[in-house]
Amino acid sequence: MNTLNLPIFPLPVFLLPNGITRLRIFEPKYLKMIKIATKGQGFVITPNYKDTNNSDVIWGSQVEIINFDQGDDGVLEIDVKSTSLVEITSLNKDESNLLFGDISLVEHWSHQKESPEALDEGERKIKNLSISLDMLFKNDNRLADLYPDKPFDNGYWVVARWLELLPVPMSVKTTFISTNSYNEAKKFIQSIILK
């Protein structure tokens, strides 16, 4: 298995593959990270670096920069899109205190292109989740602007976006990063949104 050595950005952001978020970058070490990321394979956002015991797996989301902008206050703003979930090993810091780690790609259900639902009760529930997510996007221009493509007909995409957006503890969201957790994630989202 091939490993890459990439900058690591510890940040309490839950992002699954194809998820997009906007970050404000102002610390010198993270400006350096952006410079490195634009020349290579991006960087990794990890939400659990500070909370990890030595026995825990450190995971994150490898991201690519898809847009640069400047905020009204002059701070660099970047939009990043997750390309994969990763496991992180061999952490070290450079002279500027920027964290680096060796990463290995992890398969995840949110990589799937087509929804597995058949025309049954599960399909109707996914449709209801899609409709409610579409309404959320229509009522939040900032969120809608981040996603030029919105495949609301893809159950994987819909469930992944709901997991990112719902205000539930990171420890709960993390239970859905395993490869085969789609059905559990879908049921969890349905239990909240379709009450």
Side-chain angles (χ1 to χ4, degrees):
M1 182 177 292
N2 293 338
T3 59
L4 294 171
N5 186 265
L6 294 180
I8 307 294
F9 193 5
L11 198 64
V13 171
F14 185 81
L15 201 61
L16 294 174
N18 298 311
I20 301 171
T21 193
R22 180 163 293 154
L23 304 174
R24 289 169 52 82
I25 307 294
F26 50 88
E27 288 185 57
K29 67 180 176 180
Y30 294 124
L31 291 170
K32 176 182 178 181
M33 175 188 75
I34 298 306
K35 187 174 181 181
I36 294 168
T38 58
K39 294 177 181 175
Q41 303 288 326
F43 62 95
V44 175
I45 296 173
T46 179
N48 72 334
Y49 171 66
K50 295 275 187 206
D51 302 327
T52 302
N53 298 324
N54 288 335
S55 61
D56 291 340
V57 171
I58 301 176
W59 69 276
S61 187
Q62 183 179 1
V63 298
E64 62 180 354
I65 301 168
I66 58 173
N67 190 37
F68 287 90
D69 206 350
Q70 192 171 28
D72 294 336
D73 56 1
V75 172
L76 174 65
E77 294 181 342
I78 60 168
D79 295 343
V80 296
K81 181 177 183 178
S82 173
T83 57
S84 182
L85 291 186
V86 297
E87 286 186 5
I88 306 167
T89 57
S90 304
L91 289 169
N92 57 69
K93 292 183 179 179
D94 71 2
E95 68 284 350
S96 65
N97 217 26
L98 180 60
L99 195 61
F100 285 82
D102 290 336
I103 66 159
S104 299
L105 302 183
V106 175
E107 286 295 319
H108 191 258
W109 51 263
S110 56
H111 281 117
Q112 302 296 321
K113 299 285 186 222
E114 295 180 15
S115 179
E117 293 359 293
L119 292 173
D120 59 9
E121 184 65 21
E123 175 71 13
R124 285 192 294 279
K125 287 182 178 178
I126 281 295
K127 193 167 198 172
N128 289 336
L129 289 180
S130 297
I131 290 167
S132 57
L133 185 62
D134 185 26
M135 288 172 50
L136 179 65
F137 273 68
K138 286 177 178 170
N139 290 318
D140 187 336
N141 291 334
R142 188 190 65 80
L143 181 62
D145 288 347
L146 287 175
Y147 288 90
D149 298 317
K150 303 171 188 69
F152 291 115
D153 59 340
N154 182 330
Y156 293 119
W157 189 87
V158 169
V159 169
R161 300 301 73 82
W162 270 123
L163 280 175
E164 293 165 351
L165 294 168
L166 282 175
V168 295
M170 189 68 72
S171 59
V172 173
K173 293 182 180 194
T174 300
T175 62
F176 303 114
I177 64 169
S178 67
T179 304
N180 300 314
S181 62
Y182 171 72
N183 286 326
E184 293 81 9
K186 180 178 67 172
K187 288 174 187 171
F188 175 72
I189 299 300
Q190 289 168 343
S191 72
I192 295 172
I193 302 301
L194 303 182
K195 275 195 214 181

